[in-house]
Amino acid sequence: MSVGDMLAATVPMARTLNLQFLETTPERAVVALPDQGEYHNHVGGPHAGAMFTLGESASGAIVLAAFGDQLSRAVPLAVRAEISYRKLAMGPVTATATLGRPAAEVVAELDAGRRPEFPVSIAIRREDGAVTGEMTVVWTLRPNG
């Protein structure tokens, strides 16, 4: 089962919004939010909450792809998030997430007995490529036990 399939199966909000996990690798995750009237805001585009969920889901996908081999000893948790809405989003939107630190560096901190934190940057784009939102989610790997 791919990371995207796993998230779609286990995260109810991802299913509710019909998120589509287009690409999920340790280097990049791309997730799409289809244009759905029931999730529109007052100006006819995707609601800010739906776009936040899209971005957070993309960040979670890359975290699982990059650190899935660490799940037996650590739990990935979102620590904090910030989003900026740059342009009006209309129609379907896509979130692209990238790690802000090398995965090996994060794992080395975990190996040293520390609880690493690392940012994931997300760009949310319309179909025409315009960036409508930018988001950063800071994650940690909390050691088990």
Side-chain angles (χ1 to χ4, degrees), residues 3 26 62-74 76 103-104 107 110-111 141 144:
V3 170
I62 197 170
V63 167
L64 287 177
F67 303 107
D69 60 341
Q70 304 299 317
L71 295 180
S72 63
R73 66 182 187 140
V107 172
L110 187 63
D111 290 343
L141 296 179
N144 295 335

Side-chain angles (χ1 to χ4, degrees), residues 46-97:
H47 189 278
M51 291 198 319
F52 183 95
T53 300
L54 169 68
E56 194 275 342
S57 296
S59 76
I62 197 170
V63 167
L64 287 177
F67 303 107
D69 60 341
Q70 304 299 317
L71 295 180
S72 63
R73 66 182 187 140
V75 176
L77 298 169
V79 175
R80 63 186 170 276
E82 183 176 325
I83 190 166
S84 298
Y85 301 100
R86 301 289 183 204
K87 291 185 179 195
L88 185 61
M90 299 297 282
V93 290
T94 304
T96 302

Side-chain angles (χ1 to χ4, degrees), residues 20-25 28-32 54 58 61-62 94-97 123:
Q20 301 164 348
F21 293 84
L22 305 177
E23 179 183 340
T24 306
T25 69
R28 185 170 107 131
V30 181
V31 182
L54 169 68
I62 197 170
T94 304
T96 302

